[in-house]
Amino acid sequence: GDSVTQTEGQVTVSESKSLIINCTYSATSIGYPNLFWYVRYPGEGLQLLLKVITAGQKGSSRGFEATYNKEATSFHLQKASVQESDSAVYYCALKTGGLSGKLTFGEGTQVTVIS
Amino acid sequence: GALVYQYPRRTICKSGTSMRMECQAVGFQATSVAWYRQSPQKTFELIALSTVNSAIKYEQNFTQEKFPISHPNLSFSSMTVLNAYLEDRGLYLCGASARSQNTLYFGAGTRLSVL
């Protein structure tokens, strides 16, 4: 089946430094999957951060960027300068099977930004 | 905007009893509703996907007999955890999407504890 692998466990980064969370995927369905980053802030639900449905395109939101690299089957999340408010759990996900298809999540990466 | 509400936010039930959780979509028509579970130390696993006018599709390891789902209209869905045991504890998320969208919008989840 489909699978998503992302930077494991916890990442601690100092405020104003750069952040990268690696994400690679494997999709067994025909065609290219749609790729997503979701974020869960402390005490809140899962929110969509950004999505890219076309290979080669870049998505961006709140200073975060991710590029859909079909050759490397990667969708790494980056931010040039993080803030304390970016502390959260980030989940990479892929969707196959069209509009009513299945969304598969990675394990999640806990990001803690320290001042 | 698209919002999804889940209730209750937290619940505790005795081992062997059942617990029903609800999901309400506001601001859009939820033609598809997906129920996920995040068990301790794990990522989100898809339990089942319900699409209006189609049969509810359960993932491997999840059954209708254990997790019956109702999706009676375009704004509401419920799921019951029958005969809950320790392994059923975790965070249950409802994600909903409209027919023309490729994005699931999630509620804050129902956290189930089993005594």
Side-chain angles (χ1 to χ4, degrees):
Chain A
D2 299 337
S3 67
V4 177
T5 303
Q6 60 181 100
T7 300
E8 288 186 18
Q10 302 192 20
V11 172
T12 301
V13 59
S14 297
E15 200 169 24
S16 79
K17 298 298 184 184
S18 64
L19 170 71
I20 181 165
I21 304 174
N22 292 327
C23 172
T24 57
Y25 64 88
S26 172
T28 56
S29 302
I30 295 173
Y32 296 112
N34 300 153
L35 301 176
F36 303 80
W37 277 99
Y38 281 85
V39 58
R40 187 158 171 240
Y41 297 102
E44 298 185 16
L46 202 60
Q47 302 176 23
L48 176 68
L49 179 60
L50 56 86
K51 71 175 181 181
V52 179
I53 62 173
T54 303
Q57 298 294 311
K58 179 167 67 177
S60 60
S61 172
R62 307 180 208 176
F64 287 91
E65 295 182 340
T67 299
Y68 188 155
N69 186 329
K70 65 181 176 65
E71 288 80 19
T73 61
S74 69
F75 192 53
H76 306 321
L77 183 69
Q78 303 180 74
K79 187 170 185 179
S81 175
V82 296
Q83 304 169 337
E84 276 194 76
S85 57
D86 293 322
S87 296
V89 183
Y90 293 81
Y91 295 91
C92 184
L94 70 83
K95 188 176 185 186
T96 56
L99 291 175
S100 59
K102 174 183 174 181
L103 190 66
T104 301
F105 288 92
E107 297 287 329
T109 302
Q110 168 75 58
V111 172
T112 302
V113 179
I114 56 175
S115 57
Chain B
L3 293 172
V4 176
Y5 294 99
Q6 286 187 253
Y7 34 90
R9 290 291 300 271
R10 293 178 178 271
T11 187
I12 302 172
C13 68
K14 290 184 179 179
S15 182
T17 63
S18 300
M19 189 277 153
R20 181 172 180 261
M21 54 192 75
E22 300 182 344
C23 175
Q24 184 91 33
V26 176
F28 69 106
Q29 294 185 327
T31 52
S32 292
V33 173
W35 286 92
Y36 285 81
R37 179 175 72 188
Q38 184 182 39
S39 301
Q41 310 305 321
K42 290 188 176 181
T43 190
F44 298 102
E45 293 179 279
L46 179 65
I47 296 171
L49 179 65
S50 172
T51 303
V52 170
N53 297 326
S54 297
I56 298 173
K57 185 179 175 185
Y58 284 82
E59 289 293 296
Q60 197 172 11
N61 300 326
F62 297 98
T63 65
Q64 182 181 5
E65 289 71 30
K66 173 72 175 177
F67 299 97
I69 289 170
S70 171
H71 188 186
N73 56 53
L74 294 174
S75 63
F76 181 82
S77 177
S78 67
M79 184 178 75
T80 302
V81 180
L82 292 176
N83 200 18
Y85 285 100
L86 202 60
E87 58 264 29
D88 295 317
R89 63 197 169 112
L91 179 69
Y92 288 80
L93 281 187
C94 163
S97 67
R99 186 186 307 277
S100 59
Q101 292 181 346
N102 202 27
T103 302
L104 278 175
Y105 294 96
F106 288 91
T110 294
R111 185 165 297 281
L112 173 64
S113 300
V114 181
L115 301 178

